[in-house]
Amino acid sequence: MLLGAERPAVGGPTSLLGLDRGELEAWLLAHGEPPATVRMRARQLFHWLYARGAGDAEAMTTLPKSLRRRLAEEACFERPRIVTEQLSADGTRKWLLRFSDGQEVETVFIPEEDRGALCVSTQVGCTLSCRFCRTGTMPLVRNLRAGEILAQILVARDALGDWPSAREGRRITNIVIMGMGEPLFNYEATKAAMKIALDGEGLAFSRRRITLSTSGVVPRIEPWGREVGTGLAISLHAVRDELRNQLVPINRKWPIAELLAACRAYPVRRPITFEYVMLRGVNDSDADARELVRLLRGIPAKVNLIPFNPWPGSPFECSTESRIRAFAAIVEAGGYPSPVRTPRGRDILAACGQLKTASERETRARTRIAALA
Ligand code: SAH
Ligand code: SF4
């Protein structure tokens, strides 16, 4: 299914998606809106863009015709194009989205019984190179803009029929910033996007339902908590610096002790999620589990054990089921809930970075075939 693939790329000088009320006001003023009405118009526009998901000026029926015409001519509300949509047997959906400059990211919707989480990307590629992560094998191409981060939510809502966005009955109830890229290395854009996602007149998500995952950009953790205040997830994956230096190389800059100190100082009163990918024979021993409990002492936390999702050429294997159970039992006995994250969407390669590389391979194969022809 290629939902939205035929949506034309709307031409126009400024993309308004991602602008907050103040920025919309400034744009409107610069484009001829009288000062007396500019605040009201900016509010209306904000509502149309983010609470109603309007994709073009014509739909914004509470705006005067003349303004709609101006918007149609001088602005755009461009959504990325859906290149592919894949639906897993377990209901997980994964979209590969292409922006106007041709760059692509993926966004994944994971439905559960009583909630649905949308996993959004913040960068094309990643500057970091965690050894088990496929995105880590891609160089950073660029940061996403605020509008491009938000657009992932809007496109997913379009595709799921999730408008209008009253809190009740939504399919997307949670946002997890766990797609491609390191969000705290694209701080300002991610912050601007989440401010609009949290805004009661915007996408109206509650703080409790947004979680940012970081590999450990220590100096940005406290500011994120203070300025945005979402839930926090830490990609820990190892309990000793020597091993974490290998698996999550950012650890060489900000080692475990500094990372955990930042967690202790996180200004949001909510348990922190520690993500721990289970790598067979690498980080999954009983001693590792005991050390994890010791390290987390004093931090309200939950440990998400993630079965490693292998990709072609990946240097690791997933721990055995019985090993994961034994590891979880020790962490639970230490007082930390440690759910094992059920692998979702494996049949559609829904792990970090996998669809995009598959698409790149296909493109390369096509190019080779074209060259041979
Ligand atoms: N850059 C951020 C957010 C994106 S990665 C971060 O590292 O936290 C989202 C999560 O997926 C991280 O916990 C990451 O460690 C995990 N992950 C990446 N590749 C994986 C794989 N092949 N199998 C299981 N989990 C993986
Ligand atoms: Fe980047 Fe996160 Fe993947 Fe590490 S796990 S390479 S930080 S996306």
PDB file of all heavy atoms in Angstrom, residues 279-312:
ATOM      1  N   LEU A 279      22.861  -9.154  24.503  1.00  0.00           N
ATOM      2  CA  LEU A 279      23.831  -9.667  23.529  1.00  0.00           C
ATOM      3  C   LEU A 279      24.471 -10.931  24.101  1.00  0.00           C
ATOM      4  O   LEU A 279      25.122 -10.887  25.163  1.00  0.00           O
ATOM      5  CB  LEU A 279      24.904  -8.614  23.252  1.00  0.00           C
ATOM      6  CG  LEU A 279      24.400  -7.254  22.751  1.00  0.00           C
ATOM      7  CD1 LEU A 279      25.538  -6.234  22.727  1.00  0.00           C
ATOM      8  CD2 LEU A 279      23.786  -7.388  21.361  1.00  0.00           C
ATOM      9  N   ARG A 280      24.297 -12.005  23.389  1.00  0.00           N
ATOM     10  CA  ARG A 280      24.736 -13.314  23.875  1.00  0.00           C
ATOM     11  C   ARG A 280      26.232 -13.350  24.207  1.00  0.00           C
ATOM     12  O   ARG A 280      27.075 -13.037  23.362  1.00  0.00           O
ATOM     13  CB  ARG A 280      24.428 -14.344  22.791  1.00  0.00           C
ATOM     14  CG  ARG A 280      24.704 -15.745  23.191  1.00  0.00           C
ATOM     15  CD  ARG A 280      24.217 -16.643  22.085  1.00  0.00           C
ATOM     16  NE  ARG A 280      24.329 -18.021  22.487  1.00  0.00           N
ATOM     17  CZ  ARG A 280      23.745 -19.010  21.845  1.00  0.00           C
ATOM     18  NH1 ARG A 280      22.994 -18.745  20.793  1.00  0.00           N
ATOM     19  NH2 ARG A 280      23.885 -20.235  22.251  1.00  0.00           N
ATOM     20  N   GLY A 281      26.504 -13.712  25.475  1.00  0.00           N
ATOM     21  CA  GLY A 281      27.899 -13.869  25.887  1.00  0.00           C
ATOM     22  C   GLY A 281      28.675 -12.561  25.993  1.00  0.00           C
ATOM     23  O   GLY A 281      29.885 -12.570  26.233  1.00  0.00           O
ATOM     24  N   VAL A 282      27.991 -11.432  25.832  1.00  0.00           N
ATOM     25  CA  VAL A 282      28.702 -10.149  25.838  1.00  0.00           C
ATOM     26  C   VAL A 282      28.364  -9.340  27.095  1.00  0.00           C
ATOM     27  O   VAL A 282      29.248  -8.885  27.821  1.00  0.00           O
ATOM     28  CB  VAL A 282      28.358  -9.327  24.565  1.00  0.00           C
ATOM     29  CG1 VAL A 282      28.993  -7.938  24.623  1.00  0.00           C
ATOM     30  CG2 VAL A 282      28.817 -10.065  23.314  1.00  0.00           C
ATOM     31  N   ASN A 283      27.065  -9.181  27.355  1.00  0.00           N
ATOM     32  CA  ASN A 283      26.659  -8.323  28.486  1.00  0.00           C
ATOM     33  C   ASN A 283      25.557  -8.976  29.317  1.00  0.00           C
ATOM     34  O   ASN A 283      24.829  -8.281  30.009  1.00  0.00           O
ATOM     35  CB  ASN A 283      26.180  -6.963  27.965  1.00  0.00           C
ATOM     36  CG  ASN A 283      24.912  -7.089  27.111  1.00  0.00           C
ATOM     37  OD1 ASN A 283      24.450  -8.194  26.818  1.00  0.00           O
ATOM     38  ND2 ASN A 283      24.344  -5.958  26.731  1.00  0.00           N
ATOM     39  N   ASP A 284      25.397 -10.308  29.194  1.00  0.00           N
ATOM     40  CA  ASP A 284      24.178 -10.932  29.730  1.00  0.00           C
ATOM     41  C   ASP A 284      24.422 -11.892  30.896  1.00  0.00           C
ATOM     42  O   ASP A 284      23.581 -12.751  31.180  1.00  0.00           O
ATOM     43  CB  ASP A 284      23.430 -11.651  28.590  1.00  0.00           C
ATOM     44  CG  ASP A 284      24.243 -12.765  27.952  1.00  0.00           C
ATOM     45  OD1 ASP A 284      25.445 -12.907  28.305  1.00  0.00           O
ATOM     46  OD2 ASP A 284      23.698 -13.487  27.102  1.00  0.00           O
ATOM     47  N   SER A 285      25.550 -11.764  31.605  1.00  0.00           N
ATOM     48  CA  SER A 285      25.821 -12.703  32.704  1.00  0.00           C
ATOM     49  C   SER A 285      25.083 -12.310  33.979  1.00  0.00           C
ATOM     50  O   SER A 285      24.603 -11.177  34.116  1.00  0.00           O
ATOM     51  CB  SER A 285      27.326 -12.742  32.990  1.00  0.00           C
ATOM     52  OG  SER A 285      27.714 -11.519  33.581  1.00  0.00           O
ATOM     53  N   ASP A 286      25.040 -13.260  34.932  1.00  0.00           N
ATOM     54  CA  ASP A 286      24.448 -12.953  36.239  1.00  0.00           C
ATOM     55  C   ASP A 286      25.213 -11.809  36.910  1.00  0.00           C
ATOM     56  O   ASP A 286      24.617 -10.942  37.551  1.00  0.00           O
ATOM     57  CB  ASP A 286      24.509 -14.193  37.146  1.00  0.00           C
ATOM     58  CG  ASP A 286      23.484 -15.246  36.736  1.00  0.00           C
ATOM     59  OD1 ASP A 286      22.683 -14.966  35.811  1.00  0.00           O
ATOM     60  OD2 ASP A 286      23.494 -16.339  37.338  1.00  0.00           O
ATOM     61  N   ALA A 287      26.520 -11.807  36.752  1.00  0.00           N
ATOM     62  CA  ALA A 287      27.332 -10.746  37.376  1.00  0.00           C
ATOM     63  C   ALA A 287      26.949  -9.381  36.792  1.00  0.00           C
ATOM     64  O   ALA A 287      26.873  -8.382  37.518  1.00  0.00           O
ATOM     65  CB  ALA A 287      28.814 -11.026  37.142  1.00  0.00           C
ATOM     66  N   ASP A 288      26.687  -9.344  35.486  1.00  0.00           N
ATOM     67  CA  ASP A 288      26.253  -8.086  34.854  1.00  0.00           C
ATOM     68  C   ASP A 288      24.935  -7.620  35.468  1.00  0.00           C
ATOM     69  O   ASP A 288      24.749  -6.441  35.774  1.00  0.00           O
ATOM     70  CB  ASP A 288      26.063  -8.275  33.342  1.00  0.00           C
ATOM     71  CG  ASP A 288      27.375  -8.428  32.594  1.00  0.00           C
ATOM     72  OD1 ASP A 288      28.313  -7.661  32.894  1.00  0.00           O
ATOM     73  OD2 ASP A 288      27.466  -9.316  31.729  1.00  0.00           O
ATOM     74  N   ALA A 289      24.017  -8.574  35.664  1.00  0.00           N
ATOM     75  CA  ALA A 289      22.704  -8.217  36.215  1.00  0.00           C
ATOM     76  C   ALA A 289      22.849  -7.667  37.637  1.00  0.00           C
ATOM     77  O   ALA A 289      22.213  -6.670  37.998  1.00  0.00           O
ATOM     78  CB  ALA A 289      21.780  -9.436  36.196  1.00  0.00           C
ATOM     79  N   ARG A 290      23.718  -8.312  38.420  1.00  0.00           N
ATOM     80  CA  ARG A 290      23.902  -7.849  39.802  1.00  0.00           C
ATOM     81  C   ARG A 290      24.537  -6.461  39.829  1.00  0.00           C
ATOM     82  O   ARG A 290      24.163  -5.601  40.616  1.00  0.00           O
ATOM     83  CB  ARG A 290      24.764  -8.855  40.582  1.00  0.00           C
ATOM     84  CG  ARG A 290      23.960 -10.100  40.996  1.00  0.00           C
ATOM     85  CD  ARG A 290      24.724 -10.938  42.026  1.00  0.00           C
ATOM     86  NE  ARG A 290      25.927 -11.518  41.454  1.00  0.00           N
ATOM     87  CZ  ARG A 290      25.970 -12.729  40.864  1.00  0.00           C
ATOM     88  NH1 ARG A 290      24.882 -13.478  40.818  1.00  0.00           N
ATOM     89  NH2 ARG A 290      27.097 -13.179  40.361  1.00  0.00           N
ATOM     90  N   GLU A 291      25.490  -6.257  38.947  1.00  0.00           N
ATOM     91  CA  GLU A 291      26.148  -4.945  38.875  1.00  0.00           C
ATOM     92  C   GLU A 291      25.153  -3.860  38.448  1.00  0.00           C
ATOM     93  O   GLU A 291      25.186  -2.728  38.927  1.00  0.00           O
ATOM     94  CB  GLU A 291      27.338  -5.024  37.903  1.00  0.00           C
ATOM     95  CG  GLU A 291      28.098  -3.719  37.701  1.00  0.00           C
ATOM     96  CD  GLU A 291      28.749  -3.175  38.961  1.00  0.00           C
ATOM     97  OE1 GLU A 291      28.743  -3.852  40.009  1.00  0.00           O
ATOM     98  OE2 GLU A 291      29.244  -2.020  38.898  1.00  0.00           O
ATOM     99  N   LEU A 292      24.248  -4.245  37.569  1.00  0.00           N
ATOM    100  CA  LEU A 292      23.220  -3.295  37.111  1.00  0.00           C
ATOM    101  C   LEU A 292      22.372  -2.834  38.300  1.00  0.00           C
ATOM    102  O   LEU A 292      22.130  -1.637  38.490  1.00  0.00           O
ATOM    103  CB  LEU A 292      22.351  -3.972  36.040  1.00  0.00           C
ATOM    104  CG  LEU A 292      21.221  -3.139  35.436  1.00  0.00           C
ATOM    105  CD1 LEU A 292      21.756  -1.856  34.821  1.00  0.00           C
ATOM    106  CD2 LEU A 292      20.484  -3.952  34.351  1.00  0.00           C
ATOM    107  N   VAL A 293      21.960  -3.797  39.106  1.00  0.00           N
ATOM    108  CA  VAL A 293      21.145  -3.463  40.282  1.00  0.00           C
ATOM    109  C   VAL A 293      21.938  -2.519  41.199  1.00  0.00           C
ATOM    110  O   VAL A 293      21.407  -1.527  41.706  1.00  0.00           O
ATOM    111  CB  VAL A 293      20.738  -4.749  41.045  1.00  0.00           C
ATOM    112  CG1 VAL A 293      20.107  -4.410  42.385  1.00  0.00           C
ATOM    113  CG2 VAL A 293      19.795  -5.595  40.185  1.00  0.00           C
ATOM    114  N   ARG A 294      23.219  -2.813  41.361  1.00  0.00           N
ATOM    115  CA  ARG A 294      24.032  -1.983  42.249  1.00  0.00           C
ATOM    116  C   ARG A 294      24.146  -0.550  41.698  1.00  0.00           C
ATOM    117  O   ARG A 294      23.985   0.425  42.428  1.00  0.00           O
ATOM    118  CB  ARG A 294      25.429  -2.614  42.376  1.00  0.00           C
ATOM    119  CG  ARG A 294      26.238  -2.116  43.582  1.00  0.00           C
ATOM    120  CD  ARG A 294      27.662  -2.618  43.539  1.00  0.00           C
ATOM    121  NE  ARG A 294      28.433  -2.059  42.420  1.00  0.00           N
ATOM    122  CZ  ARG A 294      28.947  -0.824  42.402  1.00  0.00           C
ATOM    123  NH1 ARG A 294      28.790  -0.016  43.430  1.00  0.00           N
ATOM    124  NH2 ARG A 294      29.629  -0.403  41.344  1.00  0.00           N
ATOM    125  N   LEU A 295      24.366  -0.459  40.397  1.00  0.00           N
ATOM    126  CA  LEU A 295      24.530   0.871  39.785  1.00  0.00           C
ATOM    127  C   LEU A 295      23.277   1.729  39.905  1.00  0.00           C
ATOM    128  O   LEU A 295      23.353   2.940  40.075  1.00  0.00           O
ATOM    129  CB  LEU A 295      24.866   0.728  38.293  1.00  0.00           C
ATOM    130  CG  LEU A 295      26.267   0.312  37.901  1.00  0.00           C
ATOM    131  CD1 LEU A 295      26.340   0.151  36.389  1.00  0.00           C
ATOM    132  CD2 LEU A 295      27.287   1.344  38.369  1.00  0.00           C
ATOM    133  N   LEU A 296      22.122   1.065  39.786  1.00  0.00           N
ATOM    134  CA  LEU A 296      20.875   1.839  39.734  1.00  0.00           C
ATOM    135  C   LEU A 296      20.359   2.232  41.118  1.00  0.00           C
ATOM    136  O   LEU A 296      19.391   3.000  41.214  1.00  0.00           O
ATOM    137  CB  LEU A 296      19.779   1.046  39.005  1.00  0.00           C
ATOM    138  CG  LEU A 296      20.040   0.744  37.529  1.00  0.00           C
ATOM    139  CD1 LEU A 296      18.822   0.096  36.892  1.00  0.00           C
ATOM    140  CD2 LEU A 296      20.420   2.016  36.768  1.00  0.00           C
ATOM    141  N   ARG A 297      20.991   1.718  42.149  1.00  0.00           N
ATOM    142  CA  ARG A 297      20.507   1.984  43.501  1.00  0.00           C
ATOM    143  C   ARG A 297      20.229   3.479  43.690  1.00  0.00           C
ATOM    144  O   ARG A 297      21.046   4.321  43.348  1.00  0.00           O
ATOM    145  CB  ARG A 297      21.540   1.499  44.524  1.00  0.00           C
ATOM    146  CG  ARG A 297      20.931   1.279  45.879  1.00  0.00           C
ATOM    147  CD  ARG A 297      21.614   0.145  46.621  1.00  0.00           C
ATOM    148  NE  ARG A 297      21.312  -1.169  46.037  1.00  0.00           N
ATOM    149  CZ  ARG A 297      22.137  -2.214  46.088  1.00  0.00           C
ATOM    150  NH1 ARG A 297      23.313  -2.113  46.648  1.00  0.00           N
ATOM    151  NH2 ARG A 297      21.769  -3.362  45.564  1.00  0.00           N
ATOM    152  N   GLY A 298      19.049   3.775  44.213  1.00  0.00           N
ATOM    153  CA  GLY A 298      18.718   5.175  44.484  1.00  0.00           C
ATOM    154  C   GLY A 298      18.062   5.885  43.308  1.00  0.00           C
ATOM    155  O   GLY A 298      17.608   7.013  43.449  1.00  0.00           O
ATOM    156  N   ILE A 299      18.012   5.253  42.152  1.00  0.00           N
ATOM    157  CA  ILE A 299      17.344   5.890  41.011  1.00  0.00           C
ATOM    158  C   ILE A 299      16.023   5.172  40.772  1.00  0.00           C
ATOM    159  O   ILE A 299      16.008   3.964  40.548  1.00  0.00           O
ATOM    160  CB  ILE A 299      18.195   5.774  39.713  1.00  0.00           C
ATOM    161  CG1 ILE A 299      19.606   6.326  39.939  1.00  0.00           C
ATOM    162  CG2 ILE A 299      17.506   6.500  38.551  1.00  0.00           C
ATOM    163  CD1 ILE A 299      20.525   6.185  38.725  1.00  0.00           C
ATOM    164  N   PRO A 300      14.888   5.886  40.863  1.00  0.00           N
ATOM    165  CA  PRO A 300      13.618   5.238  40.509  1.00  0.00           C
ATOM    166  C   PRO A 300      13.693   4.839  39.043  1.00  0.00           C
ATOM    167  O   PRO A 300      13.905   5.694  38.178  1.00  0.00           O
ATOM    168  CB  PRO A 300      12.570   6.335  40.730  1.00  0.00           C
ATOM    169  CG  PRO A 300      13.274   7.407  41.503  1.00  0.00           C
ATOM    170  CD  PRO A 300      14.728   7.291  41.199  1.00  0.00           C
ATOM    171  N   ALA A 301      13.603   3.540  38.774  1.00  0.00           N
ATOM    172  CA  ALA A 301      13.893   3.096  37.404  1.00  0.00           C
ATOM    173  C   ALA A 301      13.172   1.822  37.039  1.00  0.00           C
ATOM    174  O   ALA A 301      12.675   1.094  37.894  1.00  0.00           O
ATOM    175  CB  ALA A 301      15.397   2.873  37.243  1.00  0.00           C
ATOM    176  N   LYS A 302      13.144   1.600  35.738  1.00  0.00           N
ATOM    177  CA  LYS A 302      12.676   0.334  35.201  1.00  0.00           C
ATOM    178  C   LYS A 302      13.710  -0.067  34.144  1.00  0.00           C
ATOM    179  O   LYS A 302      14.339   0.801  33.543  1.00  0.00           O
ATOM    180  CB  LYS A 302      11.289   0.573  34.622  1.00  0.00           C
ATOM    181  CG  LYS A 302      10.912  -0.168  33.409  1.00  0.00           C
ATOM    182  CD  LYS A 302       9.489   0.201  33.028  1.00  0.00           C
ATOM    183  CE  LYS A 302       9.496   0.371  31.525  1.00  0.00           C
ATOM    184  NZ  LYS A 302       8.249   0.668  30.918  1.00  0.00           N
ATOM    185  N   VAL A 303      13.917  -1.351  33.980  1.00  0.00           N
ATOM    186  CA  VAL A 303      14.921  -1.804  33.018  1.00  0.00           C
ATOM    187  C   VAL A 303      14.206  -2.517  31.872  1.00  0.00           C
ATOM    188  O   VAL A 303      13.512  -3.497  32.097  1.00  0.00           O
ATOM    189  CB  VAL A 303      15.926  -2.766  33.684  1.00  0.00           C
ATOM    190  CG1 VAL A 303      16.916  -3.291  32.648  1.00  0.00           C
ATOM    191  CG2 VAL A 303      16.666  -2.070  34.822  1.00  0.00           C
ATOM    192  N   ASN A 304      14.353  -1.995  30.681  1.00  0.00           N
ATOM    193  CA  ASN A 304      13.758  -2.650  29.510  1.00  0.00           C
ATOM    194  C   ASN A 304      14.801  -3.563  28.904  1.00  0.00           C
ATOM    195  O   ASN A 304      15.815  -3.083  28.396  1.00  0.00           O
ATOM    196  CB  ASN A 304      13.394  -1.592  28.463  1.00  0.00           C
ATOM    197  CG  ASN A 304      11.913  -1.356  28.393  1.00  0.00           C
ATOM    198  OD1 ASN A 304      11.125  -2.065  29.018  1.00  0.00           O
ATOM    199  ND2 ASN A 304      11.526  -0.361  27.630  1.00  0.00           N
ATOM    200  N   LEU A 305      14.557  -4.860  28.972  1.00  0.00           N
ATOM    201  CA  LEU A 305      15.504  -5.784  28.345  1.00  0.00           C
ATOM    202  C   LEU A 305      15.073  -5.985  26.899  1.00  0.00           C
ATOM    203  O   LEU A 305      13.945  -6.403  26.631  1.00  0.00           O
ATOM    204  CB  LEU A 305      15.524  -7.102  29.105  1.00  0.00           C
ATOM    205  CG  LEU A 305      15.970  -6.984  30.572  1.00  0.00           C
ATOM    206  CD1 LEU A 305      15.884  -8.325  31.285  1.00  0.00           C
ATOM    207  CD2 LEU A 305      17.387  -6.420  30.666  1.00  0.00           C
ATOM    208  N   ILE A 306      15.946  -5.637  25.981  1.00  0.00           N
ATOM    209  CA  ILE A 306      15.590  -5.688  24.556  1.00  0.00           C
ATOM    210  C   ILE A 306      16.335  -6.842  23.898  1.00  0.00           C
ATOM    211  O   ILE A 306      17.566  -6.815  23.814  1.00  0.00           O
ATOM    212  CB  ILE A 306      16.002  -4.380  23.826  1.00  0.00           C
ATOM    213  CG1 ILE A 306      15.606  -3.146  24.637  1.00  0.00           C
ATOM    214  CG2 ILE A 306      15.430  -4.336  22.431  1.00  0.00           C
ATOM    215  CD1 ILE A 306      16.185  -1.855  24.087  1.00  0.00           C
ATOM    216  N   PRO A 307      15.599  -7.863  23.442  1.00  0.00           N
ATOM    217  CA  PRO A 307      16.294  -8.915  22.699  1.00  0.00           C
ATOM    218  C   PRO A 307      16.969  -8.290  21.477  1.00  0.00           C
ATOM    219  O   PRO A 307      16.327  -7.539  20.744  1.00  0.00           O
ATOM    220  CB  PRO A 307      15.168  -9.863  22.281  1.00  0.00           C
ATOM    221  CG  PRO A 307      14.017  -9.542  23.192  1.00  0.00           C
ATOM    222  CD  PRO A 307      14.147  -8.089  23.534  1.00  0.00           C
ATOM    223  N   PHE A 308      18.241  -8.565  21.311  1.00  0.00           N
ATOM    224  CA  PHE A 308      18.971  -7.992  20.177  1.00  0.00           C
ATOM    225  C   PHE A 308      18.288  -8.387  18.872  1.00  0.00           C
ATOM    226  O   PHE A 308      17.971  -9.538  18.645  1.00  0.00           O
ATOM    227  CB  PHE A 308      20.419  -8.489  20.182  1.00  0.00           C
ATOM    228  CG  PHE A 308      21.185  -8.120  18.945  1.00  0.00           C
ATOM    229  CD1 PHE A 308      21.387  -6.784  18.616  1.00  0.00           C
ATOM    230  CD2 PHE A 308      21.696  -9.101  18.100  1.00  0.00           C
ATOM    231  CE1 PHE A 308      22.088  -6.434  17.470  1.00  0.00           C
ATOM    232  CE2 PHE A 308      22.402  -8.758  16.959  1.00  0.00           C
ATOM    233  CZ  PHE A 308      22.598  -7.425  16.647  1.00  0.00           C
ATOM    234  N   ASN A 309      18.055  -7.417  18.044  1.00  0.00           N
ATOM    235  CA  ASN A 309      17.422  -7.653  16.748  1.00  0.00           C
ATOM    236  C   ASN A 309      18.539  -7.718  15.701  1.00  0.00           C
ATOM    237  O   ASN A 309      19.118  -6.693  15.368  1.00  0.00           O
ATOM    238  CB  ASN A 309      16.471  -6.485  16.467  1.00  0.00           C
ATOM    239  CG  ASN A 309      15.358  -6.884  15.533  1.00  0.00           C
ATOM    240  OD1 ASN A 309      15.452  -7.877  14.823  1.00  0.00           O
ATOM    241  ND2 ASN A 309      14.308  -6.104  15.532  1.00  0.00           N
ATOM    242  N   PRO A 310      18.870  -8.915  15.257  1.00  0.00           N
ATOM    243  CA  PRO A 310      20.035  -9.021  14.378  1.00  0.00           C
ATOM    244  C   PRO A 310      19.788  -8.444  12.989  1.00  0.00           C
ATOM    245  O   PRO A 310      18.644  -8.372  12.540  1.00  0.00           O
ATOM    246  CB  PRO A 310      20.289 -10.528  14.283  1.00  0.00           C
ATOM    247  CG  PRO A 310      19.070 -11.192  14.781  1.00  0.00           C
ATOM    248  CD  PRO A 310      18.204 -10.189  15.483  1.00  0.00           C
ATOM    249  N   TRP A 311      20.819  -8.011  12.353  1.00  0.00           N
ATOM    250  CA  TRP A 311      20.730  -7.539  10.972  1.00  0.00           C
ATOM    251  C   TRP A 311      21.885  -8.178  10.214  1.00  0.00           C
ATOM    252  O   TRP A 311      22.877  -8.600  10.809  1.00  0.00           O
ATOM    253  CB  TRP A 311      20.763  -6.015  10.891  1.00  0.00           C
ATOM    254  CG  TRP A 311      21.581  -5.320  11.922  1.00  0.00           C
ATOM    255  CD1 TRP A 311      21.190  -4.986  13.193  1.00  0.00           C
ATOM    256  CD2 TRP A 311      22.945  -4.871  11.817  1.00  0.00           C
ATOM    257  NE1 TRP A 311      22.211  -4.357  13.865  1.00  0.00           N
ATOM    258  CE2 TRP A 311      23.303  -4.268  13.041  1.00  0.00           C
ATOM    259  CE3 TRP A 311      23.898  -4.902  10.804  1.00  0.00           C
ATOM    260  CZ2 TRP A 311      24.557  -3.719  13.291  1.00  0.00           C
ATOM    261  CZ3 TRP A 311      25.158  -4.347  11.039  1.00  0.00           C
ATOM    262  CH2 TRP A 311      25.473  -3.759  12.274  1.00  0.00           C
ATOM    263  N   PRO A 312      21.764  -8.283   8.899  1.00  0.00           N
ATOM    264  CA  PRO A 312      22.793  -8.985   8.130  1.00  0.00           C
ATOM    265  C   PRO A 312      24.172  -8.378   8.385  1.00  0.00           C
ATOM    266  O   PRO A 312      24.333  -7.163   8.304  1.00  0.00           O
ATOM    267  CB  PRO A 312      22.372  -8.763   6.671  1.00  0.00           C
ATOM    268  CG  PRO A 312      20.932  -8.371   6.724  1.00  0.00           C
ATOM    269  CD  PRO A 312      20.693  -7.726   8.046  1.00  0.00           C
TER     270      PRO A 312
END
